[in-house]
Amino acid sequence: MKEYINIIRNGIINENPTFVLMLGMCPTLATTTSAMNGMSMGLATLFVLICSNLVISLIKNITPDMIRIPVFIAVIATFVTILQMVMQAYLPAVYESLGLFIPLIVVNCIILGRAEAFASKNGPLPSIFDGIGIGLGFTIGLTTLGICREFLGTGKIFDMVIFPEQYGMLLFVLAPGAFITLGFLVAIVNKLKK
């Protein structure tokens, strides 16, 4: 059990996709205009990571090396399609808010990287826990970035008003604010790790 806890902790702290590995920057910067969007994108990626890691770890021995990457992408695309259909049916507001970034999960380097680096070399249970750890790390990163940007830009956190919106700094809701906020958060994480 301790091994699985270390795998999860590794994904959240040591190999955090957002603050340490700096992977998946497109959805990180584009979808974190609010805390809810960041959390939703993170949870969507978490689902795909867990499911694809499990399936890839199960089929790793029967997948020829020559077609390994296309098979991994097909597995990932299957779970993204399932996620997209479920979100469209049951969470239409979140689906509309995230828009194009849901299908782009298929080519997210975090998911393909974990499939190649971990799931294709380990058994099903460690691969599930790796998906949980990396997915939680990504979710925490996106949610934190979304909270900061939403608070500084609109005075809200998860749509709860903290201060009037006219005192917010619009810059943080726009693209430059994403880069500025991410830079400060990465600096804070690096300082805390030392």
Side-chain angles (χ1 to χ4, degrees):
M1 191 63 186
K2 188 176 181 183
E3 173 194 352
Y4 300 127
I5 292 171
N6 286 337
I7 291 172
I8 291 174
R9 189 175 66 217
N10 183 54
I12 295 172
I13 299 169
N14 300 332
E15 292 186 22
N16 184 292
T18 307
F19 300 131
V20 177
L21 300 179
M22 303 291 284
L23 294 174
M25 288 295 106
C26 183
T28 298
L29 298 172
T31 63
T32 56
T33 54
S34 71
M36 185 58 75
N37 285 353
M39 188 175 75
S40 300
M41 186 65 184
L43 292 174
T45 306
L46 171 74
F47 167 77
V48 175
L49 260 167
I50 293 169
C51 295
S52 62
N53 271 9
L54 172 63
V55 171
I56 288 166
S57 71
L58 291 171
I59 65 169
K60 69 180 186 273
N61 294 329
I62 61 170
T63 305
D65 282 343
M66 226 166 67
I67 60 165
R68 188 179 69 247
I69 300 299
V71 169
F72 292 173
I73 291 174
V75 168
I76 294 165
T78 300
F79 289 112
V80 170
T81 303
I82 292 168
L83 172 76
Q84 190 174 3
M85 290 178 173
V86 169
M87 286 181 77
Q88 200 169 11
Y90 298 106
L91 300 166
V94 174
Y95 178 78
E96 285 296 319
S97 178
L98 296 178
L100 175 67
F101 293 98
I102 296 170
L104 287 176
I105 292 174
V106 174
V107 292
N108 190 322
C109 54
I110 297 168
I111 298 171
L112 189 57
R114 292 323 287 177
E116 180 66 26
F118 197 92
S120 67
K121 294 173 178 61
N122 292 283
L125 204 53
S127 296
I128 289 171
F129 280 96
D130 179 68
I132 292 170
I134 294 292
L136 284 176
F138 192 58
T139 303
I140 290 167
L142 292 185
T143 305
T144 303
L145 190 57
I147 286 170
C148 293
R149 289 182 66 195
E150 184 178 16
F151 174 72
L152 294 170
T154 64
K156 300 175 184 176
I157 297 177
F158 285 105
D159 284 333
M160 294 184 322
V161 177
I162 308 299
F163 61 83
E165 190 168 347
Q166 63 263 27
Y167 298 114
M169 296 170 275
L170 181 62
L171 171 73
F172 287 99
V173 180
L174 301 174
F179 285 103
I180 293 167
T181 308
L182 179 63
F184 276 108
L185 288 173
V186 168
I188 290 167
V189 167
N190 285 338
K191 184 71 172 170
L192 291 175
K193 283 179 76 177
K194 290 181 180 177

